[in-house]
Amino acid sequence: MSASNLSTVDGTDRLCVSERAQCIPCRVLHLRHLPADVSEQEVLALALPFGRVSKLITLKTKNQGFLEMASEEAAVTMINYYTTAPPTIRNQPVFIQYSTHRELKTDNLPNQRVALQGIGSATVHSGNIASGGEGRGFGPSQSPVLRIIVENLFYPVTLEVLQQIFSKFGSVLKIITFTRNNQFQALLQFSDTVHAQHAKASLDGQNIYNGCCTLRIDFSKLSALNVKYNNDKSRDFTRADLPTGELDPTAAFGVSLPPYGASPFPPTFHQHTVFLVPAGLSMAAVPGSLVSPPRVSLQMAPPAVHSVLLVSNLNPESVSPHCLFILFGVYGDVQRVKILFNKKENALVQMSDATQAQLAMSHLNGQRLHGNVIRVMFSKHPAVQLPRGAAGQEEQALTQDFSGSALHRFKKPGSKNFNNIFPPSATLHLSNIPSSVSEEALKDLFSSSGFTVKAFKFFQKDRKMALMQLASVEEAIEALVTLHDHQLDHNQHLRVSFSKSTI
């Protein structure tokens, strides 16, 4: 095809842009078939893993662009990689080749407008272009290990889900999952740094499921992971011989983890399906998906999981079904609670659905209750069974059905309680306070129950609500369990929940 001239606005510099395929390596790369409304950041994300970008030209009217890498080596690495793993933007394939130009000649003014004679306009970015601001260059990280945080955790995210998502960008060697600061996190090691960088550039900020489970990805300071056990929390995909390590207390009642390499779901469960959905594509066209996605989203069919939780390391001298009902009821409507007769440090808590179970697990796992750090995980039991008539009186007292309780916080569709779900904190939100109850009366109620009141404040616009700060998160958990639904006058009961605010 014939050449065209690309000129700056003042006409001081010109360069020739040919659309002929060219195989001679150089620093300048020609990109074609870009989305019509592609952003500079989306184009730069393709080059991010391979080195610094000194100039970028986008020709949006022609769905084309030019990248000038800081070194020829970086350009060659990028071309070689995308030859075997063709790049996409919003699921649209992008074609990349060497340009006929050894460099992009501009007047070095950043973000200038330029005109492409006979074709249209373009935008030029000059200097060390960076994703987060000017002056910060694109440099490849030395680590193949990614640190992953999943925000807005609405559905369970498992090790297998992460492996399926990230393996589309390269060979995943090892994964370790854990909960820190009430957030689900993971460390994931690729076989190659370029694969890690490509995965980060493509997946950071995307949702695993529609509208939730957002991935936040950074490079880890670790250069490699040391995995000791192959189980549901950690996996070395290069070592099938590793032991499973200590099993969770599910073993106490005949439930064990699936063996390494086996499906983590029973035969009746649906396997996860991954979709990268471009903007504007109806989800009806994507099998196994739910509703219309955000602009760019990573779609997976929500997992089918049970709503029963196993709670372990409880204090058998203090725990009761009612106590667990109140605490777990902060995150969903508890249907049944069963404290195991022969192992009273373990209990089963059945929530209304799997979403509520996930919320309770993510917020309460690792919290301290009655002096013990409790562990919360999904049980393989589909439901909590009530004891049979032949069961003894003590065994019957350890299992309670709360399905008809008036204390359920979420039974009303659209309840404002859905918008006020927070991790345990030292500050409690008190509500349903009668006008006759004073600040001193509320402080006395908590202090006489053994809790240290650090601060108190009524809401200015609504005196029926207040904030109360106690000495610690553990104390606040105890106070909520003890005083939620406490009768304040003849027909009003105190409502207690955790607050995100401080006094």
Side-chain angles (χ1 to χ4, degrees):
M1 299 180 66
S2 61
S4 301
N5 287 329
L6 179 65
S7 305
T8 60
V9 172
D10 58 10
T12 55
D13 289 313
R14 294 180 178 275
L15 64 126
C16 176
V17 179
S18 171
E19 295 185 54
R20 289 184 296 106
Q22 188 59 243
C23 296
I24 301 174
C26 66
R27 291 188 299 156
V28 181
L29 303 177
H30 182 196
L31 291 79
R32 293 188 288 155
H33 307 310
L34 297 172
D37 58 344
V38 69
S39 69
E40 282 76 17
Q41 294 304 320
E42 288 177 299
V43 178
L44 291 171
L46 296 179
L48 169 65
F50 305 98
R52 294 181 181 275
V53 178
S54 55
K55 294 187 183 75
L56 165 64
I57 300 175
T58 53
L59 313 172
K60 293 186 178 180
T61 58
K62 295 297 292 182
N63 307 104
Q64 298 182 29
F66 291 86
L67 282 166
E68 182 179 318
M69 305 299 289
S71 69
E72 185 175 305
E73 180 185 5
V76 171
T77 303
M78 181 172 169
I79 287 288
N80 289 343
Y81 178 79
Y82 286 132
T83 299
T84 58
T88 61
I89 294 179
R90 303 182 208 160
N91 238 26
Q92 178 174 321
V94 176
F95 181 77
I96 302 179
Q97 64 186 34
Y98 294 115
S99 171
T100 56
H101 303 286
R102 312 306 296 176
E103 61 179 323
L104 297 179
K105 294 181 180 179
T106 69
D107 61 4
N108 293 322
L109 293 177
N111 303 338
Q112 59 186 298
R113 295 295 299 174
V114 299
L116 184 59
Q117 294 181 357
I119 295 182
S121 63
T123 304
V124 174
H125 297 270
S126 303
N128 288 329
I129 306 168
S131 177
E134 295 180 14
R136 194 161 51 90
F138 282 169
S141 169
Q142 298 303 307
S143 175
V145 179
L146 296 177
R147 177 172 173 264
I148 303 159
I149 297 176
V150 182
E151 296 180 348
N152 192 18
L153 191 70
F154 207 68
Y155 293 110
V157 176
T158 65
L159 182 149
E160 286 79 10
V161 169
L162 293 176
Q163 194 272 340
Q164 185 175 355
I165 293 170
F166 283 82
S167 63
K168 294 186 177 297
F169 298 90
S171 177
V172 175
L173 302 185
K174 303 172 185 179
I175 303 177
I176 298 173
T177 64
F178 54 95
T179 300
R180 179 174 294 169
N181 299 326
N182 291 310
Q183 288 182 312
F184 177 85
Q185 301 188 27
L187 293 171
L188 183 147
Q189 180 181 341
F190 277 100
S191 61
D192 177 300
T193 301
V194 171
H195 296 157
Q197 292 166 331
H198 191 203
K200 179 184 183 301
S202 301
L203 295 177
D204 187 28
Q206 290 206 53
N207 295 328
I208 298 177
Y209 304 116
N210 189 39
C212 64
C213 299
T214 307
L215 294 169
R216 301 298 181 198
I217 305 171
D218 284 305
F219 292 105
S220 171
K221 295 179 180 178
L222 300 172
S223 58
L225 298 179
N226 180 23
V227 175
K228 297 181 179 179
Y229 304 112
N230 281 336
N231 53 38
D232 64 336
K233 301 298 182 187
S234 62
R235 189 75 52 82
D236 185 336
F237 294 97
T238 68
R239 293 280 309 278
D241 59 319
L242 289 180
T244 58
E246 294 184 22
L247 289 179
D248 288 282
T250 42
F253 48 94
V255 179
S256 60
L257 297 170
Y260 167 70
S263 169
F265 308 109
T268 56
F269 279 23
H270 301 293
Q271 296 291 337
H272 301 286
T273 305
V274 182
F275 301 99
L276 281 172
V277 185
L281 176 62
S282 168
M283 290 306 294
V286 184
S289 56
L290 293 178
V291 294
S292 295
R295 179 174 177 80
V296 179
S297 64
L298 176 65
Q299 277 296 316
M300 298 188 70
V305 292
H306 295 316
S307 57
V308 179
L309 297 170
L310 169 68
V311 188
S312 58
N313 201 39
L314 294 164
N315 184 334
E317 303 298 323
S318 305
V319 73
S320 68
H322 180 77
C323 155
L324 295 176
F325 165 70
I326 295 295
L327 178 57
F328 281 75
V330 173
Y331 301 104
D333 292 337
V334 176
Q335 302 301 301
R336 293 177 179 177
V337 177
K338 180 185 187 70
I339 297 174
L340 303 189
F341 180 70
N342 293 321
K343 289 185 72 71
K344 293 185 174 64
E345 64 272 18
N346 296 327
L348 296 174
V349 177
Q350 182 178 340
M351 310 296 289
S352 287
D353 57 45
T355 298
Q356 294 181 358
Q358 173 66 49
L359 286 171
M361 180 177 73
S362 57
H363 287 307
L364 294 177
N365 181 45
Q367 297 292 343
R368 192 175 290 273
L369 176 65
H370 304 315
N372 287 13
V373 176
I374 63 172
R375 299 299 174 198
V376 184
M377 62 175 288
F378 277 107
S379 168
K380 298 303 189 324
H381 290 275
V384 171
Q385 300 297 323
L386 295 175
R388 298 174 182 176
Q393 185 175 357
E394 181 185 0
E395 186 176 353
Q396 294 218 11
L398 293 176
T399 304
Q400 290 191 24
D401 188 328
F402 296 98
S403 58
S405 174
L407 295 182
H408 285 163
R409 299 176 188 249
F410 306 99
K411 59 184 177 182
K412 293 182 181 178
S415 168
K416 63 182 180 181
N417 290 333
F418 285 103
N419 300 322
N420 294 292
I421 298 175
F422 304 111
S425 66
T427 304
L428 296 174
H429 179 274
L430 312 181
S431 60
N432 205 38
I433 303 170
S435 57
S436 59
V437 175
S438 66
E439 174 180 338
E440 289 306 315
L442 287 169
K443 287 181 177 179
D444 288 345
L445 171 63
F446 279 76
S447 58
S448 64
S449 301
F451 307 114
T452 304
V453 178
K454 293 288 189 180
F456 181 92
K457 182 176 71 174
F458 274 115
F459 279 52
Q460 285 186 347
K461 296 182 179 180
D462 188 353
R463 201 184 172 282
K464 294 180 181 178
M465 296 188 292
L467 296 177
M468 178 176 287
Q469 184 177 331
L470 301 182
S472 65
V473 174
E474 181 183 2
E475 196 167 293
I477 291 174
E478 297 282 353
L480 182 144
V481 168
T482 303
L483 295 174
H484 178 67
D485 198 44
H486 179 84
Q487 186 170 349
L488 294 177
D489 65 12
H490 64 284
N491 63 354
Q492 284 186 271
H493 293 248
L494 182 66
R495 298 289 179 258
V496 185
S497 58
F498 299 112
S499 174
K500 67 176 180 179
S501 306
T502 55
I503 305 175

